[in-house]
Amino acid sequence: MAKIKTIFECQACGFQSPKWLGKCTNCGTWDSMVELSLEEIKIAQKSHNSSNSKIKAKPITEIEKEEINRFSSGSRELDLVLGGGVVEGSLILIGGSPGIGKSTLLLKVAGNIAKQKKNVLYVSGEESTGQIKLRANRLKANYDNLYLLPEINLENIIEEINKNSYSLIVIDSIQTLYSNETPSAPGSVTQVRNITFELMRVAKSLNIAIFIIGHITKEGSIAGPRILEHMVDTVLYFEGDANLEIRLLRSFKNRFGSTNEVGIFEMTKSGLVDAKTISNRFFNKSKLASGSALSIMMEGSRPIIIEIQALVTESYSHPKRSSSGFDNNRLNMLLALLEKKLDLPLSTYDVFINVSEGIRVSEPSIDLAVIASILSSYRDRELSSKTIFLGEVSLTGEIREVPSLMQRLKEAETQGFQKAIVPTAPIEEVDIKCYVVNEVSKIVEWM
Ligand SMILES: Nc1ncnc2c1ncn2[C@@H]1O[C@H](COP(=O)(O)OP(=O)(O)OP(=O)(O)O)[C@@H](O)[C@H]1O
Ligand SMILES: [Mg+2]
């Protein structure tokens, strides 16, 4: 049998095959297979095969627990997403679409830490020092302890790290770096994997927190191997509509905290700043038009008031159903339910749903508000801007309870709402009239 001399590796997921493939059989990406030489294969495997015979397994009871030391990044929202601050010696990956504000946020954080007289290294493979300086002026991140290094060679970067005692390092971005030890091009699976492995070693051995910026692909995942996400301690993604100032920083993985919290930022002239009072950010009108209903969604532990808009019009052909910010299948389900339980002839109507301000809602707690908005548009009757609708609708037409009901109602109370249509009675007292509706057909009584 002929010996395998080369191997083909998918640049999207790291899948290896002895033959070239037009489409990766593992992740389905087209034209992503790159040929690796025997030398490259050996290097790729080297990190995995290293062994140290002196290490022996120990009973867990004999192991002393390690202290987790955190420090503040100077940004309340980033600290929240990280689970209470940056953990020393951790490797944090931040991804997001181009221009969303990754460099802006991390340069500001670098400035915040440097302000406390701690050394920070900002490595940029994408921008010149002059460009970064310009941004630093805008963000007010000009401090003596912030060091800039325009470098793409990993060995040179590590040499610099060893020269000075740094508390924080920012790598902008992982896809631009290359290591001398790996012959493939920057951004390739082997490069990204080996560089991340090296950075992990640096972070752990020198106890330095390292932020890595990663570009994302068209599909929204971090470009390069998926393995990158497995290797690092924390994975954060920036989300947001390019037309809006609000940016959300979501945690997808966190070895040192929960992944429920979301950081909310605002893009301003002086960079990304922590958004203040976000609960009424997306709704502050005093009057509603017909077709609008209000609800409260939870973003992590924070309630946010949202406006659901519906447009129901007679259809002259095949009825259209379209939603933005809300699941289309769920909309179809709710319409079928209205047709069955309320005898509405919705199959002859087009129905469009929109959650205002480009917000995406994935929790079903706003089902009742969606139904209210559809009914409001269908009957062309306005709803009160002082009423909120909360409740998940089941296939049988039952209204189910929603998580964190009390927290949502408390927020509604603070925002001056007077009436709440809820699936269950509140367990604590709130200064807002609550009406329990447990069946979808009963909703009409409150419209
Ligand atoms: N003078 C300015 N005033 C206000 N906003 C600005 C200004 N200059 C840049 N911005 C904003 O900053 C954004 C760029 O942010 P940044 O460079 O941090 O993005 P990035 O995520 O690092 O992008 P890339 O992936 O291209 O590196 C722009 O989209 C713009 O909205
Ligand atoms: Mg950038």
PDB file of all heavy atoms in Angstrom, residues 96-105 126-127 135 138 172 213 215 238 247 267-271, ligand 1:
ATOM      1  N   GLY A  96     -17.052  39.062  16.248  1.00  0.00           N
ATOM      2  CA  GLY A  96     -18.106  39.985  15.840  1.00  0.00           C
ATOM      3  C   GLY A  96     -17.876  40.434  14.426  1.00  0.00           C
ATOM      4  O   GLY A  96     -16.739  40.364  13.927  1.00  0.00           O
ATOM      5  N   SER A  97     -18.930  40.882  13.757  1.00  0.00           N
ATOM      6  CA  SER A  97     -18.798  41.263  12.351  1.00  0.00           C
ATOM      7  C   SER A  97     -17.911  42.502  12.197  1.00  0.00           C
ATOM      8  O   SER A  97     -17.704  43.245  13.164  1.00  0.00           O
ATOM      9  CB  SER A  97     -20.167  41.456  11.726  1.00  0.00           C
ATOM     10  OG  SER A  97     -21.033  42.029  12.641  1.00  0.00           O
ATOM     11  N   PRO A  98     -17.409  42.754  10.988  1.00  0.00           N
ATOM     12  CA  PRO A  98     -16.487  43.873  10.780  1.00  0.00           C
ATOM     13  C   PRO A  98     -17.108  45.208  11.181  1.00  0.00           C
ATOM     14  O   PRO A  98     -18.279  45.457  10.898  1.00  0.00           O
ATOM     15  CB  PRO A  98     -16.228  43.849   9.267  1.00  0.00           C
ATOM     16  CG  PRO A  98     -16.592  42.486   8.818  1.00  0.00           C
ATOM     17  CD  PRO A  98     -17.619  41.979   9.755  1.00  0.00           C
ATOM     18  N   GLY A  99     -16.329  46.014  11.848  1.00  0.00           N
ATOM     19  CA  GLY A  99     -16.776  47.359  12.205  1.00  0.00           C
ATOM     20  C   GLY A  99     -17.757  47.433  13.352  1.00  0.00           C
ATOM     21  O   GLY A  99     -18.293  48.500  13.648  1.00  0.00           O
ATOM     22  N   ILE A 100     -17.997  46.336  14.038  1.00  0.00           N
ATOM     23  CA  ILE A 100     -18.995  46.368  15.118  1.00  0.00           C
ATOM     24  C   ILE A 100     -18.437  47.025  16.381  1.00  0.00           C
ATOM     25  O   ILE A 100     -19.188  47.524  17.220  1.00  0.00           O
ATOM     26  CB  ILE A 100     -19.561  44.958  15.394  1.00  0.00           C
ATOM     27  CG1 ILE A 100     -20.869  45.053  16.180  1.00  0.00           C
ATOM     28  CG2 ILE A 100     -18.571  44.062  16.109  1.00  0.00           C
ATOM     29  CD1 ILE A 100     -21.884  44.046  15.799  1.00  0.00           C
ATOM     30  N   GLY A 101     -17.111  47.037  16.498  1.00  0.00           N
ATOM     31  CA  GLY A 101     -16.521  47.744  17.649  1.00  0.00           C
ATOM     32  C   GLY A 101     -15.613  46.901  18.522  1.00  0.00           C
ATOM     33  O   GLY A 101     -15.403  47.229  19.686  1.00  0.00           O
ATOM     34  N   LYS A 102     -15.061  45.829  17.974  1.00  0.00           N
ATOM     35  CA  LYS A 102     -14.197  44.952  18.774  1.00  0.00           C
ATOM     36  C   LYS A 102     -12.930  45.700  19.203  1.00  0.00           C
ATOM     37  O   LYS A 102     -12.584  45.711  20.387  1.00  0.00           O
ATOM     38  CB  LYS A 102     -13.805  43.706  17.959  1.00  0.00           C
ATOM     39  CG  LYS A 102     -14.988  42.900  17.465  1.00  0.00           C
ATOM     40  CD  LYS A 102     -14.564  41.705  16.643  1.00  0.00           C
ATOM     41  CE  LYS A 102     -13.927  42.027  15.301  1.00  0.00           C
ATOM     42  NZ  LYS A 102     -14.819  42.606  14.294  1.00  0.00           N
ATOM     43  N   SER A 103     -12.262  46.320  18.232  1.00  0.00           N
ATOM     44  CA  SER A 103     -11.023  47.038  18.557  1.00  0.00           C
ATOM     45  C   SER A 103     -11.323  48.217  19.473  1.00  0.00           C
ATOM     46  O   SER A 103     -10.557  48.514  20.388  1.00  0.00           O
ATOM     47  CB  SER A 103     -10.354  47.539  17.282  1.00  0.00           C
ATOM     48  OG  SER A 103     -10.234  46.510  16.352  1.00  0.00           O
ATOM     49  N   THR A 104     -12.441  48.890  19.218  1.00  0.00           N
ATOM     50  CA  THR A 104     -12.813  50.045  20.022  1.00  0.00           C
ATOM     51  C   THR A 104     -12.980  49.660  21.483  1.00  0.00           C
ATOM     52  O   THR A 104     -12.438  50.309  22.375  1.00  0.00           O
ATOM     53  CB  THR A 104     -14.146  50.640  19.494  1.00  0.00           C
ATOM     54  OG1 THR A 104     -13.991  50.883  18.109  1.00  0.00           O
ATOM     55  CG2 THR A 104     -14.518  51.901  20.203  1.00  0.00           C
ATOM     56  N   LEU A 105     -13.710  48.580  21.729  1.00  0.00           N
ATOM     57  CA  LEU A 105     -13.962  48.157  23.105  1.00  0.00           C
ATOM     58  C   LEU A 105     -12.663  47.752  23.794  1.00  0.00           C
ATOM     59  O   LEU A 105     -12.374  48.187  24.911  1.00  0.00           O
ATOM     60  CB  LEU A 105     -14.948  46.979  23.127  1.00  0.00           C
ATOM     61  CG  LEU A 105     -15.210  46.409  24.520  1.00  0.00           C
ATOM     62  CD1 LEU A 105     -16.018  47.394  25.357  1.00  0.00           C
ATOM     63  CD2 LEU A 105     -15.922  45.075  24.459  1.00  0.00           C
ATOM     64  N   GLU A 126      -3.402  44.439  12.267  1.00  0.00           N
ATOM     65  CA  GLU A 126      -4.314  44.990  11.264  1.00  0.00           C
ATOM     66  C   GLU A 126      -4.126  46.469  11.032  1.00  0.00           C
ATOM     67  O   GLU A 126      -4.373  46.961   9.949  1.00  0.00           O
ATOM     68  CB  GLU A 126      -5.770  44.753  11.703  1.00  0.00           C
ATOM     69  CG  GLU A 126      -6.082  43.297  11.836  1.00  0.00           C
ATOM     70  CD  GLU A 126      -7.556  43.016  11.992  1.00  0.00           C
ATOM     71  OE1 GLU A 126      -8.276  43.912  12.460  1.00  0.00           O
ATOM     72  OE2 GLU A 126      -7.956  41.898  11.651  1.00  0.00           O
ATOM     73  N   GLU A 127      -3.753  47.186  12.102  1.00  0.00           N
ATOM     74  CA  GLU A 127      -3.676  48.633  11.975  1.00  0.00           C
ATOM     75  C   GLU A 127      -2.298  49.126  12.393  1.00  0.00           C
ATOM     76  O   GLU A 127      -1.625  48.498  13.211  1.00  0.00           O
ATOM     77  CB  GLU A 127      -4.749  49.280  12.864  1.00  0.00           C
ATOM     78  CG  GLU A 127      -6.139  49.062  12.336  1.00  0.00           C
ATOM     79  CD  GLU A 127      -7.216  49.334  13.377  1.00  0.00           C
ATOM     80  OE1 GLU A 127      -7.200  48.698  14.434  1.00  0.00           O
ATOM     81  OE2 GLU A 127      -8.055  50.187  13.108  1.00  0.00           O
ATOM     82  N   ARG A 135      -7.258  56.474  17.364  1.00  0.00           N
ATOM     83  CA  ARG A 135      -8.431  55.941  18.052  1.00  0.00           C
ATOM     84  C   ARG A 135      -8.309  56.145  19.565  1.00  0.00           C
ATOM     85  O   ARG A 135      -9.269  56.514  20.221  1.00  0.00           O
ATOM     86  CB  ARG A 135      -8.611  54.452  17.732  1.00  0.00           C
ATOM     87  CG  ARG A 135      -9.854  53.893  18.360  1.00  0.00           C
ATOM     88  CD  ARG A 135     -10.038  52.428  18.119  1.00  0.00           C
ATOM     89  NE  ARG A 135     -10.393  52.095  16.759  1.00  0.00           N
ATOM     90  CZ  ARG A 135      -9.843  51.098  16.067  1.00  0.00           C
ATOM     91  NH1 ARG A 135      -8.906  50.361  16.616  1.00  0.00           N
ATOM     92  NH2 ARG A 135     -10.235  50.836  14.852  1.00  0.00           N
ATOM     93  N   ARG A 138      -9.355  59.485  20.592  1.00  0.00           N
ATOM     94  CA  ARG A 138     -10.805  59.622  20.577  1.00  0.00           C
ATOM     95  C   ARG A 138     -11.421  58.960  21.823  1.00  0.00           C
ATOM     96  O   ARG A 138     -12.373  59.451  22.398  1.00  0.00           O
ATOM     97  CB  ARG A 138     -11.337  58.962  19.292  1.00  0.00           C
ATOM     98  CG  ARG A 138     -12.787  59.144  19.033  1.00  0.00           C
ATOM     99  CD  ARG A 138     -13.099  58.933  17.561  1.00  0.00           C
ATOM    100  NE  ARG A 138     -12.730  57.617  17.050  1.00  0.00           N
ATOM    101  CZ  ARG A 138     -13.509  56.547  17.148  1.00  0.00           C
ATOM    102  NH1 ARG A 138     -14.665  56.629  17.731  1.00  0.00           N
ATOM    103  NH2 ARG A 138     -13.112  55.398  16.644  1.00  0.00           N
ATOM    104  N   ASP A 172      -5.081  41.665  18.313  1.00  0.00           N
ATOM    105  CA  ASP A 172      -6.052  42.144  17.327  1.00  0.00           C
ATOM    106  C   ASP A 172      -5.500  41.876  15.924  1.00  0.00           C
ATOM    107  O   ASP A 172      -4.697  42.637  15.429  1.00  0.00           O
ATOM    108  CB  ASP A 172      -6.268  43.647  17.550  1.00  0.00           C
ATOM    109  CG  ASP A 172      -7.398  44.212  16.710  1.00  0.00           C
ATOM    110  OD1 ASP A 172      -8.020  43.444  15.983  1.00  0.00           O
ATOM    111  OD2 ASP A 172      -7.645  45.431  16.792  1.00  0.00           O
ATOM    112  N   ILE A 213      -9.049  38.844  19.560  1.00  0.00           N
ATOM    113  CA  ILE A 213     -10.137  39.242  18.671  1.00  0.00           C
ATOM    114  C   ILE A 213     -10.184  38.247  17.518  1.00  0.00           C
ATOM    115  O   ILE A 213      -9.135  37.886  16.971  1.00  0.00           O
ATOM    116  CB  ILE A 213      -9.921  40.675  18.145  1.00  0.00           C
ATOM    117  CG1 ILE A 213     -10.053  41.664  19.313  1.00  0.00           C
ATOM    118  CG2 ILE A 213     -10.916  41.015  17.034  1.00  0.00           C
ATOM    119  CD1 ILE A 213      -9.829  43.104  18.951  1.00  0.00           C
ATOM    120  N   HIS A 215     -12.166  37.217  13.798  1.00  0.00           N
ATOM    121  CA  HIS A 215     -13.129  37.628  12.760  1.00  0.00           C
ATOM    122  C   HIS A 215     -14.197  36.571  12.641  1.00  0.00           C
ATOM    123  O   HIS A 215     -13.960  35.411  12.941  1.00  0.00           O
ATOM    124  CB  HIS A 215     -12.426  37.772  11.416  1.00  0.00           C
ATOM    125  CG  HIS A 215     -11.503  38.939  11.398  1.00  0.00           C
ATOM    126  ND1 HIS A 215     -10.709  39.243  10.345  1.00  0.00           N
ATOM    127  CD2 HIS A 215     -11.264  39.869  12.330  1.00  0.00           C
ATOM    128  CE1 HIS A 215     -10.010  40.322  10.624  1.00  0.00           C
ATOM    129  NE2 HIS A 215     -10.327  40.719  11.821  1.00  0.00           N
ATOM    130  N   PHE A 238     -20.111  39.809  19.731  1.00  0.00           N
ATOM    131  CA  PHE A 238     -20.785  41.089  19.601  1.00  0.00           C
ATOM    132  C   PHE A 238     -21.968  40.921  18.666  1.00  0.00           C
ATOM    133  O   PHE A 238     -21.833  40.307  17.613  1.00  0.00           O
ATOM    134  CB  PHE A 238     -19.848  42.106  18.955  1.00  0.00           C
ATOM    135  CG  PHE A 238     -19.321  43.112  19.901  1.00  0.00           C
ATOM    136  CD1 PHE A 238     -17.966  43.259  20.102  1.00  0.00           C
ATOM    137  CD2 PHE A 238     -20.190  43.921  20.596  1.00  0.00           C
ATOM    138  CE1 PHE A 238     -17.478  44.199  20.973  1.00  0.00           C
ATOM    139  CE2 PHE A 238     -19.714  44.866  21.477  1.00  0.00           C
ATOM    140  CZ  PHE A 238     -18.354  44.998  21.671  1.00  0.00           C
ATOM    141  N   ARG A 247     -25.176  47.904  20.970  1.00  0.00           N
ATOM    142  CA  ARG A 247     -24.439  46.672  20.671  1.00  0.00           C
ATOM    143  C   ARG A 247     -24.574  45.737  21.864  1.00  0.00           C
ATOM    144  O   ARG A 247     -24.447  46.180  23.007  1.00  0.00           O
ATOM    145  CB  ARG A 247     -22.937  46.947  20.473  1.00  0.00           C
ATOM    146  CG  ARG A 247     -22.626  48.002  19.452  1.00  0.00           C
ATOM    147  CD  ARG A 247     -22.822  47.467  18.041  1.00  0.00           C
ATOM    148  NE  ARG A 247     -23.268  48.521  17.148  1.00  0.00           N
ATOM    149  CZ  ARG A 247     -22.495  49.233  16.369  1.00  0.00           C
ATOM    150  NH1 ARG A 247     -21.205  49.024  16.367  1.00  0.00           N
ATOM    151  NH2 ARG A 247     -22.990  50.159  15.590  1.00  0.00           N
ATOM    152  N   MET A 267     -22.692  52.764  20.880  1.00  0.00           N
ATOM    153  CA  MET A 267     -21.579  53.321  20.105  1.00  0.00           C
ATOM    154  C   MET A 267     -21.747  54.834  20.072  1.00  0.00           C
ATOM    155  O   MET A 267     -22.737  55.346  19.566  1.00  0.00           O
ATOM    156  CB  MET A 267     -21.597  52.721  18.703  1.00  0.00           C
ATOM    157  CG  MET A 267     -20.422  53.117  17.829  1.00  0.00           C
ATOM    158  SD  MET A 267     -18.815  52.728  18.507  1.00  0.00           S
ATOM    159  CE  MET A 267     -18.363  51.282  17.591  1.00  0.00           C
ATOM    160  N   THR A 268     -20.794  55.541  20.651  1.00  0.00           N
ATOM    161  CA  THR A 268     -20.852  57.003  20.643  1.00  0.00           C
ATOM    162  C   THR A 268     -19.568  57.537  20.013  1.00  0.00           C
ATOM    163  O   THR A 268     -18.688  56.760  19.661  1.00  0.00           O
ATOM    164  CB  THR A 268     -20.954  57.566  22.078  1.00  0.00           C
ATOM    165  OG1 THR A 268     -19.744  57.222  22.754  1.00  0.00           O
ATOM    166  CG2 THR A 268     -22.139  57.001  22.827  1.00  0.00           C
ATOM    167  N   LYS A 269     -19.463  58.850  19.929  1.00  0.00           N
ATOM    168  CA  LYS A 269     -18.254  59.478  19.363  1.00  0.00           C
ATOM    169  C   LYS A 269     -17.021  59.071  20.145  1.00  0.00           C
ATOM    170  O   LYS A 269     -15.953  58.888  19.595  1.00  0.00           O
ATOM    171  CB  LYS A 269     -18.409  61.004  19.419  1.00  0.00           C
ATOM    172  CG  LYS A 269     -19.033  61.580  18.179  1.00  0.00           C
ATOM    173  CD  LYS A 269     -18.542  63.011  17.984  1.00  0.00           C
ATOM    174  CE  LYS A 269     -19.119  63.610  16.729  1.00  0.00           C
ATOM    175  NZ  LYS A 269     -20.572  63.852  16.838  1.00  0.00           N
ATOM    176  N   SER A 270     -17.189  58.937  21.462  1.00  0.00           N
ATOM    177  CA  SER A 270     -16.023  58.577  22.278  1.00  0.00           C
ATOM    178  C   SER A 270     -15.939  57.071  22.509  1.00  0.00           C
ATOM    179  O   SER A 270     -15.465  56.609  23.533  1.00  0.00           O
ATOM    180  CB  SER A 270     -16.063  59.337  23.597  1.00  0.00           C
ATOM    181  OG  SER A 270     -17.329  59.211  24.177  1.00  0.00           O
ATOM    182  N   GLY A 271     -16.456  56.295  21.561  1.00  0.00           N
ATOM    183  CA  GLY A 271     -16.301  54.840  21.628  1.00  0.00           C
ATOM    184  C   GLY A 271     -17.519  54.130  22.179  1.00  0.00           C
ATOM    185  O   GLY A 271     -18.595  54.709  22.287  1.00  0.00           O
TER     186      GLY A 271
HETATM  187  N1  LIG B   1     -15.168  59.276  14.851  1.00  0.00           N
HETATM  188  C1  LIG B   1     -16.070  58.353  15.113  1.00  0.00           C
HETATM  189  N2  LIG B   1     -17.199  58.669  15.760  1.00  0.00           N
HETATM  190  C2  LIG B   1     -18.123  57.732  16.067  1.00  0.00           C
HETATM  191  N3  LIG B   1     -18.003  56.451  15.757  1.00  0.00           N
HETATM  192  C3  LIG B   1     -16.898  56.063  15.120  1.00  0.00           C
HETATM  193  C4  LIG B   1     -15.879  56.980  14.770  1.00  0.00           C
HETATM  194  N4  LIG B   1     -14.902  56.283  14.148  1.00  0.00           N
HETATM  195  C5  LIG B   1     -15.318  54.991  14.124  1.00  0.00           C
HETATM  196  N5  LIG B   1     -16.506  54.867  14.698  1.00  0.00           N
HETATM  197  C6  LIG B   1     -17.285  53.642  14.854  1.00  0.00           C
HETATM  198  O1  LIG B   1     -16.438  52.589  15.213  1.00  0.00           O
HETATM  199  C7  LIG B   1     -16.684  51.476  14.374  1.00  0.00           C
HETATM  200  C8  LIG B   1     -15.408  50.734  14.086  1.00  0.00           C
HETATM  201  O2  LIG B   1     -15.107  50.052  15.232  1.00  0.00           O
HETATM  202  P1  LIG B   1     -13.869  49.046  15.316  1.00  0.00           P
HETATM  203  O3  LIG B   1     -12.772  49.468  14.414  1.00  0.00           O
HETATM  204  O4  LIG B   1     -13.598  48.910  16.766  1.00  0.00           O
HETATM  205  O5  LIG B   1     -14.535  47.726  14.758  1.00  0.00           O
HETATM  206  P2  LIG B   1     -13.909  46.283  14.679  1.00  0.00           P
HETATM  207  O6  LIG B   1     -14.965  45.386  15.189  1.00  0.00           O
HETATM  208  O7  LIG B   1     -12.578  46.271  15.298  1.00  0.00           O
HETATM  209  O8  LIG B   1     -13.800  46.105  13.115  1.00  0.00           O
HETATM  210  P3  LIG B   1     -12.766  45.233  12.256  1.00  0.00           P
HETATM  211  O9  LIG B   1     -13.279  43.845  12.292  1.00  0.00           O
HETATM  212  O10 LIG B   1     -12.875  45.829  10.903  1.00  0.00           O
HETATM  213  O11 LIG B   1     -11.423  45.402  12.874  1.00  0.00           O
HETATM  214  C9  LIG B   1     -17.267  52.025  13.118  1.00  0.00           C
HETATM  215  O12 LIG B   1     -18.167  51.131  12.534  1.00  0.00           O
HETATM  216  C10 LIG B   1     -17.960  53.275  13.568  1.00  0.00           C
HETATM  217  O13 LIG B   1     -19.316  52.972  13.840  1.00  0.00           O
END
